[in-house]
Amino acid sequence: ALQQVCPEIVTVGFAIGDILRGPALGGAMPELDIVATAPPHALIQQLQGRLSKGGLSMAHLDARKLQKSAVRACTDALVSAGGFKFRRSAFRGQEPKVTLMAPPGLAGLDRSIPVDFSVNCVSPQYNAALVQEVLLIDGRARDLVLLVRRWAKDRGICHAARGHLAPYAWTQLAIYFLQVGVDGGALLPPLQGYKMVNRITVKRGGGEADAKRGRKTWAPPAPGSPAACLSVASLFRSFVRFYAEDIDWHKEAVSVRRGQRAEANLHLMVHMIKPEGKAPEPGPAIEDPFEPARNLGTSVTAPGAQRLREELLRASALLERGGDLAELLAP
């Protein structure tokens, strides 16, 4: 169906968690990203008629507007010829996308599943690269990322279009915690300059006056040490406590690239939230390690920030009194 939109289109799927487990919150959070990629010039050539009807001038066409138009055209094709059903659009975020219900039979399943569909979107690829890389360093890192994202999805705080953090941002939070928040030593190194297994490289520098200043050397925990013996459950408990009690968004930015507690790099986009009846305050500052000027926290609204605090405190209190996983994840 997508070849009718643009013959050069290639699609890639990225699983988020386990699509066999079923969707969280009645299908509100997709478990699968489908990304269509195509050269911009090919999209412009194929979508000229559609762009003209929409009143877009070729002289004023930017990459984001082209993405939106391509997503709309592909969605029409998938719904009319591919058996997909439209659920919702999310065009206000950093990367335009739509949520579709894929037909039964996709990936061998006997039921429809929700998917996020986008065009020339990089976050799913970046996320897959990071998760694969940390798996090679410490298998607990991947398991923590998956647990954190499942918790965030099931508790309804992982949907950027509704004012929350996107799944990719939650991956950053989990990795950063493993770099700076584990008692007994960092489980992961700073990722600056790392060349991922799929040839994507984490950027060097982000506007710091001296990229080498304050950089720490890293060594994995010694076998048998307390840090080496921590379970994923223990790490999740500490993760929740770290973001509920320790981090201060007025003074600190999450940067897995630098892997140390510090202020935001000079080029990171500033994001302020405006609680009702209160003065504006800094929202989450979460650096994209592949694009250090990009703040992954800009999707968070004032109500979203409040929900984030509430959910972190709820999870922390529940875990302190010995609550189980089913209670923790209950929507």
Side-chain angles (χ1 to χ4, degrees):
L2 297 182
Q3 298 296 316
Q4 300 174 9
V5 177
C6 180
E8 289 89 346
I9 276 185
V10 176
T11 58
V12 181
F14 300 92
I16 305 172
D18 184 2
I19 62 174
L20 299 177
R21 186 177 62 85
L25 297 180
M29 312 299 180
E31 299 287 349
L32 185 66
D33 274 298
I34 297 179
V35 181
T37 59
H41 71 270
L43 290 174
I44 292 174
Q45 182 178 3
Q46 296 295 327
L47 298 175
Q48 280 186 352
R50 190 183 188 97
L51 294 169
S52 299
K53 290 180 181 178
L56 289 176
S57 167
M58 294 297 108
H60 298 92
L61 182 65
D62 59 24
R64 187 165 155 68
K65 291 177 181 178
L66 179 60
Q67 276 184 302
K68 289 181 179 180
S69 183
V71 169
R72 291 189 180 102
C74 290
T75 298
D76 290 346
L78 290 171
V79 171
S80 62
F84 287 75
K85 294 182 179 180
F86 176 80
R87 289 292 299 274
R88 68 180 67 85
S89 61
F91 284 175
R92 296 182 180 180
Q94 294 178 339
E95 295 179 320
K97 62 179 62 178
V98 294
T99 300
L100 305 171
M101 292 301 296
L106 185 71
L109 299 177
D110 59 359
R111 55 180 170 78
S112 297
I113 60 170
V115 301
D116 270 344
F117 176 81
S118 59
V119 175
N120 291 345
C121 176
V122 295
S123 291
Q125 182 181 10
Y126 287 168
N127 182 79
L130 280 175
V131 172
Q132 193 170 3
E133 189 67 28
V134 298
L135 172 63
L136 298 176
I137 301 171
D138 190 320
R140 293 172 297 177
R142 182 200 60 178
D143 293 342
L144 181 66
V145 168
L146 294 178
L147 178 56
V148 165
R149 286 172 58 143
R150 178 179 172 184
W151 166 73
K153 287 186 182 70
D154 287 2
R155 293 300 300 169
I157 53 172
C158 195
H159 194 29
R162 295 183 180 177
H164 304 295
L165 293 173
Y168 181 47
W170 283 105
T171 296
Q172 308 299 318
L173 295 188
I175 294 175
Y176 182 70
F177 160 73
L178 294 174
Q179 293 172 321
V180 305
V182 178
D183 292 336
L187 299 188
L188 294 176
L191 297 181
Q192 181 167 256
Y194 261 67
K195 191 170 185 178
M196 305 283 116
V197 290
N198 61 357
R199 301 181 182 275
I200 301 175
T201 303
V202 175
K203 297 293 185 181
R204 290 188 179 275
E208 298 90 342
D210 181 358
K212 295 183 179 179
R213 185 179 301 164
R215 186 182 300 173
K216 299 179 180 178
T217 58
W218 175 83
S225 65
C229 297
L230 288 170
S231 67
V232 175
S234 296
L235 290 171
F236 181 78
R237 183 181 296 108
S238 298
F239 166 88
V240 168
R241 188 183 306 116
F242 177 79
Y243 285 105
E245 302 174 5
D246 291 352
I247 199 163
D248 183 353
W249 296 118
H250 291 79
K251 303 177 181 179
E252 185 172 353
V254 167
S255 172
V256 305
R257 178 179 57 84
R258 291 183 294 177
Q260 60 183 354
R261 304 191 72 168
E263 295 180 348
N265 79 70
L266 298 179
H267 295 310
L268 186 69
M269 182 185 303
V270 176
H271 175 53
M272 303 294 290
I273 58 177
K274 300 178 180 179
E276 187 174 355
K278 298 181 181 179
E281 61 185 51
I286 306 170
E287 176 191 285
D288 186 334
F290 302 102
E291 301 178 29
R294 183 184 180 207
N295 185 354
L296 302 175
T298 57
S299 61
V300 177
T301 61
Q306 180 61 30
R307 273 291 313 282
L308 176 60
R309 286 188 286 267
E310 292 172 354
E311 290 298 332
L312 288 168
L313 291 173
R314 170 190 176 272
S316 181
L318 192 156
L319 292 170
E320 285 299 321
R321 65 175 175 80
D324 60 19
L325 184 62
E327 186 177 2
L328 177 71
L329 301 178

